[in-house]
Amino acid sequence: MVGADELTTEDRKPGLRLMAVHAHPDDESSKGAATMARYVAEGHDVMVVTCTGGEAGSILNPAMDRPEVLANITEIRREEMARAAKILGVRHRWLGFVDSGLPEGDPLPPLPAGCFALTPLEESTEALVRVIREFRPHVITTYDENGGYPHPDHIRTHEVSMAAFDAAGDPDRFPDAGEPWQPLKLYYGHGFSKRRMELFHQAMLDAGMESPFTEWLAKWDAGRPDVLERVTTQIECGEYFEVRDEALKAHATQIDPDSRWFALPVDVQRKVWPTEEYELNRSLVDSTLPEDDLFTGIKEKVSP
């Protein structure tokens, strides 16, 4: 685990604690960032855990596609992550594994030796358990079994998160990784809803704007179910969309500020779809679905 300054009891805020586990730097800002900013504003303690350094990521912003940036991509992505964490107001931990890259081709090439996706599950699980026992989150968010999309690091992040949720409270598992702590709920974060995309698309057309969603919707697999069918929990967080966007822009190697990420005005987004979506997968507290708060059932049970 890289850059883990041990938390003491005095370091912990008085509110509840949320941990978001992600594969690469920038994932935290494109997935659930407004939710995290809302909970920080409400006085809760939020930590992002990034499993890899994002070393294999391509430079997706033309303005940053320069030789000196590529030569220092590891250091630059660490600096970007630090800026994004500061904007969001969250704590941050690197888990310390190496980006697996996204293999392309037919057949797919093998993954590089020593990468996160090939690291033994016990090793990466212990690393996450150590952070869970240090931070003691009440709620963890991660990816679904498909990784949100089938990147090997996203799928591995799902596997590690699930294993660590189960192991963190077991004193017989990883006894050298800290005092056992059992999180109470685990959620999958969901995005790329077809229904949301359709509403954004129509809102832009109604405003006389060119929609960046036209191509996505035209290529949408008719047999692919909408993730909304799995959503149990919608978090009202439109007030924090500007914070989300600033955190995204902090990842300058990955995010082009002129890209379609930012084509739809924030005030229109707030009007059309002011929430972020989650699926409750594990819960050790009673909670009635649907929910509008990740801490539902916990606030009533736990004294912060």
Side-chain angles (χ1 to χ4, degrees):
M1 181 175 56
V2 179
D5 299 322
E6 185 176 354
L7 289 174
T8 66
T9 301
E10 289 74 22
D11 290 328
R12 296 190 177 95
K13 296 179 182 179
L16 296 168
R17 294 180 294 278
L18 169 66
M19 174 181 283
V21 185
H22 288 285
H24 311 107
D26 79 72
D27 288 330
E28 85 296 327
S29 296
S30 61
K31 303 169 183 66
T35 297
M36 291 191 291
R38 169 188 158 173
Y39 283 124
V40 168
E42 291 179 354
H44 301 298
D45 210 350
V46 180
M47 176 182 282
V48 169
V49 177
T50 308
C51 294
T52 81
E55 303 89 346
S58 301
I59 297 177
L60 303 178
N61 179 0
M64 294 292 287
D65 193 1
R66 307 191 302 271
E68 68 273 20
V69 173
L70 186 60
N72 295 286
I73 191 66
T74 299
E75 179 181 350
I76 289 172
R77 295 208 73 182
R78 292 181 70 85
E79 293 170 352
E80 291 174 345
M81 183 65 238
R83 286 196 294 273
K86 185 175 182 179
I87 290 166
L88 293 171
V90 302
R91 302 180 189 268
H92 180 253
R93 291 290 184 269
W94 297 101
L95 214 56
F97 297 100
V98 176
D99 191 340
S100 306
L102 182 60
E104 295 180 313
D106 187 13
L108 291 174
L111 294 173
C115 71
F116 178 51
L118 295 182
T119 298
L121 185 59
E122 281 288 289
E123 180 181 339
S124 45
T125 298
E126 181 175 9
L128 183 55
V129 165
R130 190 175 298 275
V131 186
I132 291 172
R133 290 176 177 175
E134 173 198 351
F135 182 60
R136 303 192 304 173
H138 299 96
V139 174
I140 292 176
T141 64
T142 189
Y143 310 138
D144 68 12
E145 66 281 358
N146 299 310
Y149 79 106
H151 188 297
D153 285 339
H154 282 244
I155 293 171
R156 195 57 156 179
T157 296
H158 161 81
E159 295 167 346
V160 171
S161 299
M162 304 306 289
F165 182 91
D166 292 336
D170 185 345
D172 295 327
R173 299 289 307 280
F174 312 116
D176 297 327
E179 183 180 351
W181 173 264
Q182 180 58 61
L184 297 176
K185 298 173 85 175
L186 181 143
Y187 289 88
Y188 299 154
H190 283 303
F192 298 106
S193 160
K194 183 181 181 183
R195 180 57 180 155
R196 184 177 69 170
M197 202 177 298
E198 288 172 336
L199 290 174
F200 283 173
H201 173 71
Q202 191 59 51
M204 295 191 77
L205 296 182
D206 290 346
M209 304 168 66
E210 183 178 353
S211 170
F213 304 105
T214 303
E215 182 181 352
W216 278 359
L217 289 169
K219 293 182 177 180
W220 193 276
D221 181 357
R224 175 184 173 186
D226 195 321
V227 295
L228 282 182
E229 297 176 13
R230 299 179 55 164
V231 166
T232 62
T233 310
Q234 292 186 278
I235 306 301
E236 188 90 22
C237 53
E239 181 180 347
Y240 302 96
F241 284 173
E242 287 92 347
V243 179
R244 173 204 64 193
D245 288 355
E246 287 306 305
L248 266 172
K249 291 173 184 177
H251 294 281
T253 58
Q254 305 300 299
I255 303 296
D256 180 352
D258 296 321
S259 71
R260 58 186 173 187
W261 279 109
F262 308 107
L264 185 62
V266 170
D267 58 340
V268 177
Q269 294 181 47
R270 268 195 285 268
K271 180 180 179 181
V272 173
W273 200 286
T275 62
E276 290 179 338
E277 281 64 50
Y278 299 85
E279 175 187 352
L280 179 60
N281 180 268
R282 304 280 182 88
S283 182
L284 302 179
V285 298
D286 293 331
S287 181
T288 301
L289 302 180
E291 302 171 319
D292 61 4
D293 185 351
L294 299 181
F295 293 119
T296 296
I298 295 176
K299 289 176 176 177
E300 298 82 0
K301 184 181 180 68
V302 175
S303 177

